[in-house]
Amino acid sequence: MAETQVPSNAQVQQWDNDYYVDYVNRNWFRKFEGTGSSSIIQIKEDLTTKPGGTITCHLVNKLVGTAKNHNETLEGQEEDLTLRTHDLAIREYSHAVRWPKFQEQLTAIDLRAAHKDALMTWNMELDRDLVITALGDINGVKYSLASETQKDTWLVDNADRVLFGAAVANHVSGDHSTSLATIDNTADKLTPEAIALMKRIAKAASPKVRPFKAKSSVGDVDTYVLFVNSRAMRDLKNNSTYQQQLRDAGSRGWTNPIFTGADLVVDNTPVYEIEDIAVVTGVGASSIDVAPVYLVGAQALAKAWAMRPTTVDDEFDYKRKHGLAIKQWYKIEKLRFGTGATDQTDFKDHGIVIGWFAAVAD
């Protein structure tokens, strides 16, 4: 009696689909992703259905003009809609595993399936590392690779959305390294007051760093999210003001995964500890280590897909060895817009305020 057999290529396609769904569901940053312009990480999938190597994100700044009354002239008083763009150039990220085919004879398990977890772990660590790198980059250059000139230029353009330690006055105009050197281990640790100050900076920036809307049991809530490294989180937890707030009212938040999954909620801002955010060693006052923290709002980052994770099988050494590769075409970048004459001049980060705080080792 004839039995219908599922073609091997269909099995591989289903495996790839399952892998992608699992990858999305297990992705730590998933709760911050969405296709809308109010998401912290905006997903763009334009190139999954058409050829091309670049995706354009449109950044629309809010209108600030005043309303006119019935007896006031409206014509000629229109406000220009400030429309800027950010281009993301897609690249490939791939990895592979290989094993002797003879091992398939010796084991009852499906070695292809067995390598799924290893590839999944690699994939998710890649995604996490790309997000962290993008948060701190200097106009598309990884922070650790950016020159002092590049950092100074970035600081001039982003002067309205940075904080060095506890006080705005610590910022030395146009000099990134000198500004870092003002941070000491007494007054410039991460505190609830510093978080509140970063929020005020975000709201006063030009253009404003927009909060994103989070749905909760009390309705839509406008909020920011703060990503900090382990040392900054340690100092925040040890802060007497935070400890008193915790004793008085406990951790405040809403019944929403964005808040309930946070490590802390301070001034209605969920705070997440990301241990992989690296410290900048020896740059503060008396050569102390300093850590960046990131207050993010809407459209802080973009993730552009051209090809979702796809596997490729291959055989080597007269078909004695089996290989499995995973590849994907995408890009994660911090969104920025040109504030000069064109989209490519005087870049300013779109949805983020960066603070640097003391982060001495234990």
Side-chain angles (χ1 to χ4, degrees):
M1 179 168 135
E3 295 181 352
T4 301
Q5 300 294 322
V6 179
S8 60
N9 62 335
Q11 294 175 9
V12 171
Q13 183 178 4
Q14 181 60 47
W15 192 93
D16 288 351
N17 289 339
D18 291 343
Y19 180 95
Y20 180 73
V21 171
D22 199 16
Y23 159 75
V24 170
N25 289 336
R26 291 168 57 183
N27 186 348
W28 188 87
F29 285 102
R30 182 193 177 204
K31 66 179 71 177
F32 308 115
E33 297 180 348
T35 57
S37 61
S38 63
S39 299
I40 291 176
I41 304 176
Q42 186 176 15
I43 303 296
K44 304 287 286 185
E45 296 190 286
D46 306 47
L47 296 183
T48 59
T49 57
K50 60 184 179 182
T54 302
I55 288 181
T56 299
C57 295
H58 297 279
L59 308 173
V60 182
N61 294 329
K62 65 179 292 186
L63 297 175
V64 296
T66 57
K68 303 297 186 293
N69 204 344
H70 74 280
N71 59 347
E72 296 179 292
T73 301
L74 185 59
E75 185 175 353
Q77 303 299 315
E78 300 89 352
E79 182 178 354
D80 290 335
L81 186 63
T82 307
L83 178 64
R84 294 286 182 167
T85 60
H86 178 105
D87 293 335
L88 281 80
I90 305 303
R91 57 154 289 181
E92 178 175 309
Y93 295 92
S94 57
H95 198 31
V97 291
R98 183 190 293 201
W99 63 92
K101 293 193 72 174
F102 186 68
Q103 295 298 320
E104 297 176 358
Q105 176 66 29
L106 301 180
T107 179
I109 66 172
D110 182 347
L111 287 180
R112 179 187 178 89
H115 285 85
K116 178 182 178 180
D117 282 343
L119 288 170
M120 181 71 70
T121 298
W122 173 83
N123 222 153
M124 295 182 64
E125 290 177 349
L126 168 69
D127 208 66
R128 175 206 61 201
D129 293 345
L130 291 176
V131 169
I132 293 172
T133 298
L135 287 169
D137 76 24
I138 303 295
N139 291 337
V141 179
K142 187 176 181 179
Y143 182 87
S144 61
L145 300 179
S147 67
E148 287 303 313
T149 298
Q150 289 172 321
K151 292 174 183 176
D152 290 347
T153 299
W154 173 88
L155 182 59
V156 169
D157 294 332
N158 289 273
D160 62 341
R161 53 198 68 216
V162 295
L163 177 64
F164 294 90
V168 173
N170 288 343
H171 175 196
V172 179
S173 179
D175 197 321
H176 185 72
S177 59
T178 302
S179 298
L180 290 176
T182 66
I183 300 172
D184 67 52
N185 194 39
T186 302
D188 296 313
K189 297 177 181 179
L190 182 62
T191 65
E193 293 85 356
I195 294 174
L197 177 56
M198 291 183 71
K199 289 176 64 177
R200 293 196 297 274
I201 290 173
K203 295 175 181 179
S206 179
K208 173 183 175 179
V209 176
R210 292 187 298 118
F212 74 100
K213 286 191 179 295
K215 294 186 180 298
S216 75
S217 60
V218 297
D220 288 349
V221 178
D222 286 338
T223 188
Y224 300 100
V225 167
L226 188 69
F227 297 129
V228 307
N229 92 329
S230 298
R231 296 184 190 178
M233 178 65 84
R234 171 204 62 196
D235 292 337
L236 178 59
K237 287 181 175 179
N238 289 336
N239 177 264
S240 59
T241 300
Y242 169 73
Q243 292 178 346
Q244 185 61 47
Q245 291 175 351
L246 195 62
R247 285 192 293 268
D248 290 344
S251 181
R252 301 183 182 186
W254 301 273
T255 55
N256 176 281
I258 286 179
F259 301 102
T260 57
D263 296 291
L264 303 176
V265 177
V266 178
D267 194 22
N268 289 340
T269 302
V271 183
Y272 288 87
E273 178 180 350
I274 304 179
E275 64 273 14
D276 296 294
I277 295 176
V279 299
V280 187
T281 58
V283 296
S286 302
S287 299
I288 66 168
D289 295 346
V290 170
V293 305
Y294 305 107
L295 184 81
V296 296
Q299 284 186 299
L301 304 176
K303 177 191 285 189
W305 284 101
M307 183 179 69
R308 295 174 175 178
T310 303
T311 56
V312 178
D313 287 282
D314 209 345
E315 294 179 325
F316 313 91
D317 192 18
Y318 296 94
K319 297 186 178 181
R320 297 167 65 205
K321 295 180 181 179
H322 194 171
L324 175 64
I326 187 83
K327 63 179 182 179
Q328 56 227 302
W329 299 340
Y330 78 124
K331 192 67 176 290
I332 298 174
E333 282 190 2
K334 178 165 56 178
L335 287 173
R336 58 188 185 275
F337 57 93
T339 58
T342 71
D343 287 350
Q344 302 301 314
T345 55
D346 301 328
F347 285 117
K348 181 175 287 193
D349 295 347
H350 182 66
I352 184 170
V353 173
I354 301 181
W356 284 271
F357 296 91
V360 299
D362 292 323

